[in-house]
Amino acid sequence: MKFTKVLAGMLSAALLLTGCSEDSSSTADSSKADTTTTTTTEATTTTTEATTTTTETTTTAETTTTEETDAGSDEGDMKPEEPASADELAEVKDVIAGYLEANNNKDYAAMIRYYDVQFNYFMEHGETGSDPELVQYMQDAESEIFMDYSNAVFGEPQCYNSMAQEYNDFLASDLMSEVETEDGETIEVSPEEEFKIEGVYVFNVKNEAAGFSSEMDYAVLKINGKWQVDTALTLLYTFVSIFEGMGDLTE
């Protein structure tokens, strides 16, 4: 099965998982920034419900909850960091704007610059492609590559540069060591040798249409020295993290 179709299916599933009213907290499963916020909110709610007749008891409960949250923190609880520089943040914002314009105009050359279509291509062909090959790839998979953002609101990018190594470890994991080509052939690959992640920013995309509201997070990754908007790698990483967490709960 083509990787682009699998990705489109995962995006649809993510939208179903996060489709909600504005006050829903389900976005936590698809966002590291949102997970942190939701965890904090839940901890606060628990403390409020546990409040008894004395202020001393409330303080004790709050302290205990905070300690348990810190002790149980994992990759999904990471908090936004300060950008390395104002110039870096400005560049990331420019990349998001460039991606949005390229997507809306179906500008293939600009998409190659602002979107990591090369990763998508690699996961389908087992090798990197030339610019003409990437253009043909996008033309063939236009409905999966180009998104409708006419009703979308883009949030501010948040820095998570310390997560870069986690992405690199994921690329080197067994889960990413094989791809199924267009002909149905399974081949071994080493994406960690082709793609080096050096920085991570996350931004929220909220879409509302016909009374339906959905939210999910995209990333801007510094790949091989170039900042590009990413959906595929981030979504794969998020889904695997969710399922691994669910596995831990059932043990």
Side-chain angles (χ1 to χ4, degrees):
M1 182 180 293
K2 293 181 67 176
F3 176 75
T4 47
K5 291 188 180 296
V6 173
L7 175 61
M10 293 177 70
L11 283 167
S12 297
L15 289 175
L16 287 175
L17 287 171
T18 60
C20 55
S21 60
E22 292 186 3
D23 60 352
S24 171
S25 61
S26 61
T27 311
D29 287 338
S30 65
S31 164
K32 298 197 177 298
D34 287 349
T35 300
T36 303
T37 304
T38 304
T39 302
T40 304
T41 303
E42 290 174 352
T44 304
T45 304
T46 302
T47 303
T48 303
E49 292 176 350
T51 303
T52 59
T53 55
T54 67
T55 304
E56 181 180 356
T57 303
T58 302
T59 303
T60 302
E62 183 174 358
T63 302
T64 302
T65 303
T66 302
E67 290 175 352
E68 289 177 354
T69 301
D70 292 342
S73 64
D74 55 24
E75 298 144 355
D77 296 326
M78 295 182 68
K79 296 180 180 180
E81 309 157 9
E82 287 295 322
S85 68
D87 288 343
E88 178 183 88
L89 178 58
E91 184 177 0
V92 168
K93 289 182 177 181
D94 287 343
V95 167
I96 295 173
Y99 163 74
L100 183 59
E101 182 177 1
N103 176 87
N104 293 344
N105 295 332
K106 293 186 179 179
D107 184 336
Y108 297 108
M111 283 290 280
I112 292 173
R113 165 63 184 90
Y114 294 112
Y115 179 62
D116 64 339
V117 64
Q118 186 71 264
F119 176 77
N120 296 39
Y121 184 93
F122 179 89
M123 293 304 296
E124 190 164 321
H125 294 82
E127 60 184 8
T128 57
S130 64
D131 283 2
E133 287 172 328
L134 295 180
V135 169
Q136 184 62 55
Y137 172 74
M138 287 187 285
Q139 290 174 339
D140 293 341
E142 190 172 283
S143 62
E144 288 91 15
I145 296 292
F146 294 95
M147 301 289 129
D148 180 8
Y149 296 122
S150 57
N151 295 308
V153 177
F154 285 63
E156 290 294 311
Q158 302 289 326
C159 180
Y160 289 88
N161 281 338
S162 62
M163 282 185 59
Q165 187 56 48
E166 295 177 24
Y167 276 90
N168 289 318
D169 292 342
F170 180 62
L171 288 172
S173 68
D174 291 341
L175 290 170
M176 302 293 287
S177 64
E178 293 182 346
V179 299
E180 184 177 337
T181 66
E182 201 168 22
D183 299 327
E185 178 187 2
T186 299
I187 59 176
E188 293 185 359
V189 294
S190 300
E192 75 279 9
E193 296 179 2
E194 299 290 343
F195 305 98
K196 177 67 174 179
I197 311 302
E198 303 166 17
V200 181
Y201 278 73
V202 173
F203 64 99
N204 181 259
V205 179
K206 182 175 182 179
N207 210 348
E208 295 185 358
F212 181 82
S213 176
S214 66
E215 291 187 50
M216 63 181 298
D217 283 345
Y218 286 25
V220 182
L221 305 179
K222 191 173 187 179
I223 306 175
N224 300 336
K226 182 187 297 183
W227 289 102
Q228 293 181 309
V229 171
D230 166 82
T231 55
L233 178 57
T234 302
L235 194 57
L236 287 169
Y237 177 82
T238 300
F239 266 64
V240 169
S241 299
I242 290 172
F243 287 126
E244 286 181 345
M246 290 174 66
D248 292 340
L249 292 174
T250 58
E251 292 178 355

